[in-house]
Amino acid sequence: RPDVCVYDARNKSIIYIDAKMNIKDYIEAYNLPDDAVHREEKKRALRAHVASIRRQIDGLAARDYANTIAPREGYVNLPLVAMFCPFNAVLEAALSEDPTLMAYAFKKNIVLVTPTTLWGYLWLIASGWKRVETEKKYEEIQALGGVVVDKVNALLQEIENMGQALTNATAAYENLKKHAGDSGQKSVKRAAQALLEYGVMPKREVRQVTKSSSPTLQRSM
């Protein structure tokens, strides 16, 4: 199982770190004098150091922590596993002998980290999640903008409908006033006046229709 599990509570992700690196061959190469007599022996120890790291990479990839370990409820496993090198010099020596080592590990979803680069690795992960969160909020804002535009269009349509309704109501009012008031040959008022001329004696006078925007009757028959 991994040596360290980093729980990113904000982004609900789990980062696994393995620190089981064998540095026996590196120590042997480091302790050999850097001279012509020990050059081949030192080279052989460094090649053994690289081979040891490759074996660990293969073994770590075979464990497949991201898919074999059930994450804590509400969390997801990060697909990359960090393989921790205890000293910067340990990884530098291996890379000087085999510059393809980092790429080899990455193809197997393994990231080689040191005490210095581990913090950078974690920071990059946090920044990546933050970017995903920002993009998600941008998509939400875009969707909300579409809803607002639809609502504004609907409101403007309702205002237009209300204006048309008021126009129709005004026309109906003018037509009604024409039939009830002084104008028009068959207005209600003319009919009432004709009845008066025939001798009908009402109890009340005929009300007058004002010329305001709304009908106001003064008295009823």
Side-chain angles (χ1 to χ4, degrees):
R1 62 182 182 179
D3 297 290
V4 178
C5 301
V6 179
Y7 289 88
D8 184 351
R10 179 177 181 181
N11 301 302
K12 299 299 181 183
S13 62
I14 303 174
I15 304 163
Y16 293 116
I17 302 174
D18 189 275
K20 302 180 182 71
M21 179 173 287
N22 186 343
I23 60 172
K24 175 179 68 66
D25 295 307
Y26 167 77
I27 293 174
E28 180 182 347
Y30 179 81
N31 288 329
L32 287 170
D34 192 11
D35 53 25
V37 176
H38 299 89
R39 185 173 300 164
E40 286 300 322
E41 189 178 358
K42 193 179 188 74
K43 190 80 170 176
R44 186 167 50 251
L46 286 176
R47 285 197 294 267
H49 174 53
V50 171
S52 175
I53 293 178
R54 280 181 172 264
R55 284 194 301 271
Q56 186 181 351
I57 290 172
D58 293 339
L60 193 53
R63 294 188 189 106
D64 195 13
Y65 290 149
N67 294 316
T68 57
I69 298 178
R72 177 186 293 180
E73 184 177 356
Y75 284 74
V76 295
N77 290 334
L78 201 70
L80 294 175
V81 174
M83 179 175 161
F84 185 73
C85 305
F87 307 104
N88 293 340
V90 170
L91 183 57
E92 290 171 1
L95 291 174
S96 65
E97 184 65 28
D98 182 5
T100 67
L101 198 58
M102 291 285 281
Y104 178 80
F106 195 74
K107 286 180 180 178
K108 295 177 177 289
N109 292 329
I110 307 297
V111 180
L112 301 177
V113 296
T114 65
T116 302
T117 60
L118 176 60
W119 293 110
Y121 172 65
L122 296 176
W123 182 85
L124 284 174
I125 292 172
S127 297
W129 280 113
K130 185 176 181 180
R131 180 177 179 182
V132 169
E133 184 179 351
T134 301
E135 291 176 353
K136 182 179 179 182
K137 288 183 178 179
Y138 175 77
E139 292 174 357
E140 293 175 353
I141 291 172
Q142 289 289 94
L144 183 60
V147 172
V148 171
V149 170
D150 291 341
K151 293 296 184 182
V152 169
N153 287 336
L155 176 62
L156 293 176
Q157 184 61 51
E158 290 297 325
I159 292 174
E160 185 176 343
N161 293 342
M162 180 179 291
Q164 186 61 47
L166 290 173
T167 299
N168 295 339
T170 300
Y173 163 69
E174 294 295 337
N175 189 51
L176 180 62
K177 189 171 70 170
K178 182 178 70 175
H179 286 84
D182 295 331
S183 61
Q185 297 295 324
K186 297 180 180 180
S187 68
V188 175
K189 182 177 180 180
R190 288 192 175 228
Q193 289 175 342
L195 289 175
L196 292 175
E197 292 174 359
Y198 282 115
V200 176
M201 301 296 294
K203 295 181 179 181
R204 299 180 181 86
E205 295 181 359
V206 177
R207 293 187 178 185
Q208 300 294 322
V209 178
T210 66
K211 296 182 180 181
S212 61
S213 60
S214 60
T216 303
L217 300 183
Q218 296 176 342
R219 296 179 62 183
S220 60
M221 291 182 61

